[in-house]
Structures are given as structure tokens and as C-alpha cells.
Amino acid sequence: MRFARQVSFLFFLALTPLLLPSEAPASCGAVSCFVVIGAQQRIPQQGLLTVSGVYNYTPMRLLSGATGIIPAADQARQRLILDHHQEVRTITQSYTLDLNYGVMDRFALQLTVPYLKRKHLHIDGLGESATEAGEPVNFSDNGFGDVRLTAKYNVLPTLRHNIVLGFGLELPTGDTQARDSSGQVLESPGQLGRGQIGLIGSIYQTYELIPHRLSQFAFASYRHTFRNRDGYQFGDEYQFNAGVNLVTTPWLVLINQFNFRYLTQDNVTANLEQSAAPFSGEEPTVIDPRILDRRVPNTGSTYFAYTPGFQLDVGRLFTSQYTEGTSMYVMAQIPVARDANNNLAQGTSFIFGITRSLQLLKPRS
């Protein structure tokens, strides 16, 4: 137990400096809220299926003092146009079905299927009209996002301490060709899917500081997505999360966690152009006609948030065959520090979920 306690403490210390906000440009388009939900990170016992349904509301708006003037990464026509349009807002709602099945007591397979509803507004073509500072362009779409399949293994299964390693594949099942109100294919960051396979590695650690009363947890993950057929490659994603769960009564758990996400810059295969000044009535000027792999300015982001919430064990509060193994949770992700780099920034997000455990097979004795 002393060894488990030392590993838990060292792992938490290793994450601490990474949770501090750092400077980086912010992403245009859309992001989703991210939190640690124990039912999704843990490994169920053999034959147990944990089914989770999660609703997530994530708004993005300009911070005070930001103009929101950013480049256009037109992957459909291989054009990267500097200072082309002005971001206004993005709202993403996601409905996620998560299936977490214990193949063995230390090994599990997890399937995550997101359904997304997204609304976006920006002012397009700032320099292309002599009478108006651009044209309002709306985008609205809903459908399935990229499905994720994850294999997980518990390398330290003890009564009070667990360390779970995960490796996942993100499959390109989400739409990448949706069009905005002007009839043009929307930029890749606003689409429901990334259009290419992603690789995800993760580690989840938890330790009961006070048995059955107070537990500490930490979660870190890394995602790399390859370049899609449109010549667009999303930046790598790093997530670091840590928090505690406090059992106040057998049916009520208070959740407190800190969440940090760092996204590197995206890349697009395109030429390079410069948009004309607002009200000039001129088309963008070509700076470099060569079709090259170029970093997309104003992509990448740094986001640090505090997330309080609670989990209600419905099965213990209302004892019946219909509520057995069922719990509900509510969380609010509140931004503490964000670097939006003159772009849209993620605001306070909300998470609602319900989890039900079903014993499909009897575990081996």
C-alpha cells in the first residue's frame, strides 16, 4: 500500500505543472467540453456493461477586446486567405452514447458514439464589398461525429489504487462536406468530423485517500489525427485532468476537478493569399501561389477550467429493479484561464449524464 500511495502522489505531482495555463493561439470553428467521468475511465468487472448517455452544451464567443478577424482555411479550393472573416459565435451540443464492457477483470473495450448539433456564425469576405464590412454567413448541421474505439488495461488493480492505460482509434465517421448558408463547404474546424483516423493514448489513475469516502483521480490523454483527403490536418491534442470525489451520503458524491487542454496548430495544403482591407471592394491578393502544407494561423488553443458537480446514485436512493446500478451526474465546466488569440473562446459549459450497469455474463469464479 505504501508503494501505491507513492505512485499516486508522484503521478499527481507530475501532472501539476502541466495544469498551469500557457500561451498558445486559439482554435476557430468549434470545440467540445471535456471532463473526467469515472464510469467511462474505469474498467468494469468481467461481463459487466456500463452504458452512459451524456449531454454536453459548449458555447464559444469572443472575449472582451477581441476582434475575431481570422484567416480562411478554404480546404475545398486549397486557399489560405489571411484576415478574411470575423468570427461571431459557435454553439455545439453533443449527445454521446458510451459503452464500456469488461472483457476480463483487467481488460475492457469501450465504444463512444457522439451525435452533434452545431450552429456557427461569422462575417465573411471583409474586404470584398465596397459598401459592407463582409456578409453574415450561418452554418447549422447535426449528425454523427467521429466514433471512438478504445482498449483499456488495468496495470495496478488493488483495492484502493488503480492505473488504467488506454489506446484508442478515432474513426472518420463524421461529416466533412457540410455547406454554410453561402453554399460553400465550411472550413474543416467547423465540420462534425475530422475526416481521417486519429490515434489516442491515455492513462487514468485513482486512489482512495479515505476508503469509501474520499478518492483522488487524474487523467491524461494525447490525440494525433492524420491529414485528411481535403489536405487538412488537425493539431495534436493534450489533455490533463485531476480532481477528487467526496462521498457525502451513500447516494450523493460531490465532484471537483480541474481540466487543462492544449491544442497545437492545424495544417492545410493550400496557397497563401491576403484579404483586402474592409470596404475596399477588392478580391484577395495572392502572396504565394504554390500549394504547400502551411500552418493555419489562429488555430491551436490553451484552456484551463474548474469543474464542480455531483453524482446521484439513483439505485441507492430509490431501491428497485429498475434503478439498480443507475446513477446520474451534473457538472459545469467554468473557464479559469483561456488564450483565444483574438478568436472565439470556450465559455462555461454544462454536462448532464446518466449511467446504467448491466451484468451480461457471470464473472468466472
Side-chain angles (χ1 to χ4, degrees):
M1 285 301 177
R2 178 178 297 178
F3 172 75
R5 190 180 296 110
Q6 289 174 343
V7 171
S8 173
F9 180 69
L10 290 174
F11 185 77
F12 184 78
L13 286 182
L15 286 181
T16 300
L18 296 172
L19 291 171
L20 298 177
S22 60
E23 293 298 322
S27 173
C28 70
V31 295
S32 294
C33 170
F34 60 106
V35 295
V36 177
I37 299 173
Q40 294 179 328
Q41 271 74 47
R42 289 193 296 265
I43 291 184
Q45 68 181 28
Q46 184 179 9
L48 187 69
L49 175 65
T50 301
V51 181
S52 298
V54 185
Y55 170 76
N56 185 316
Y57 177 85
T58 308
M60 295 183 71
R61 291 181 173 83
L62 291 174
L63 298 176
S64 177
T67 66
I69 298 176
I70 65 170
D74 186 351
Q75 74 276 3
R77 294 181 291 181
Q78 296 186 308
R79 302 171 70 192
L80 180 59
I81 310 171
L82 303 177
D83 304 318
H84 179 263
H85 61 261
Q86 185 177 36
E87 298 288 271
V88 178
R89 65 175 178 269
T90 298
I91 297 177
T92 300
Q93 299 180 73
S94 64
Y95 304 81
T96 303
L97 174 65
D98 187 89
L99 305 176
N100 191 13
Y101 180 70
V103 180
M104 296 183 292
D105 286 339
R106 299 176 63 176
F107 178 71
L109 291 176
Q110 183 175 3
L111 178 67
T112 305
V113 182
Y115 185 88
L116 307 174
K117 297 180 65 176
R118 180 164 294 155
K119 293 183 178 181
H120 174 73
L121 172 64
H122 68 255
I123 309 300
D124 199 56
L126 297 181
E128 297 172 14
S129 172
T131 58
E132 298 178 336
E135 176 186 359
V137 172
N138 291 282
F139 170 78
S140 179
D141 195 13
N142 59 80
F144 288 101
D146 291 341
V147 172
R148 181 176 294 190
L149 179 63
T150 307
K152 302 182 295 185
Y153 184 75
N154 192 345
V155 299
L156 187 62
T158 67
L159 291 177
R160 296 177 62 180
H161 195 198
N162 289 276
I163 295 180
V164 177
L165 300 180
F167 175 76
L169 288 177
E170 195 169 66
L171 306 178
T173 54
D175 188 11
T176 61
Q177 298 298 314
R179 297 177 181 270
D180 58 31
S181 60
S182 69
Q184 302 296 322
V185 175
L186 187 71
E187 295 174 293
S188 287
Q191 298 283 351
L192 300 184
R194 294 191 175 95
Q196 186 53 283
I197 289 176
L199 304 178
I200 302 100
S202 65
I203 179 171
Y204 171 69
Q205 172 270 338
T206 181
Y207 179 71
E208 289 192 10
L209 300 171
I210 303 176
H212 310 296
R213 187 72 174 180
L214 179 65
S215 61
Q216 164 267 323
F217 61 87
F219 176 79
S221 69
Y222 167 75
R223 174 192 54 78
H224 175 79
T225 302
F226 297 97
R227 189 180 303 275
N228 63 28
R229 290 182 296 178
D230 294 326
Y232 200 93
Q233 184 174 18
F234 288 82
D236 293 350
E237 179 183 68
Y238 300 83
Q239 286 189 22
F240 305 97
N241 310 268
V244 293
N245 292 329
L246 175 63
V247 180
T248 59
T249 69
W251 48 266
L252 179 62
V253 179
L254 299 183
I255 304 169
N256 285 276
Q257 57 182 277
F258 290 95
N259 314 110
F260 175 81
R261 176 176 57 206
Y262 171 67
L263 292 168
T264 64
Q265 284 189 313
D266 298 349
N267 192 285
V268 65
T269 303
N271 72 350
L272 184 63
E273 303 180 27
Q274 174 63 56
S275 183
F279 297 102
S280 64
E282 299 178 3
E283 293 294 321
T285 301
V286 177
I287 300 175
D288 186 351
R290 296 176 297 172
I291 306 299
L292 303 174
D293 294 343
R294 305 177 188 274
R295 290 187 178 182
V296 182
N298 297 95
T299 58
S301 65
T302 300
Y303 181 79
F304 178 59
Y306 165 62
T307 304
F310 66 89
Q311 177 178 323
L312 190 66
D313 192 329
V314 181
R316 292 190 177 185
L317 183 60
F318 304 103
T319 304
S320 75
Q321 60 178 337
Y322 303 105
T323 61
E324 182 179 0
T326 303
S327 61
M328 302 176 63
Y329 46 87
V330 178
M331 287 180 273
Q333 189 172 74
I334 306 167
V336 176
R338 329 170 250 189
D339 181 8
N341 194 29
N342 202 39
N343 205 322
L344 296 178
Q346 180 179 335
T348 299
S349 304
F350 299 95
I351 307 96
F352 306 90
I354 183 169
T355 295
R356 179 76 184 264
S357 296
L358 305 170
Q359 189 68 51
L360 302 184
L361 298 175
K362 293 182 178 180
R364 295 178 182 176
S365 57

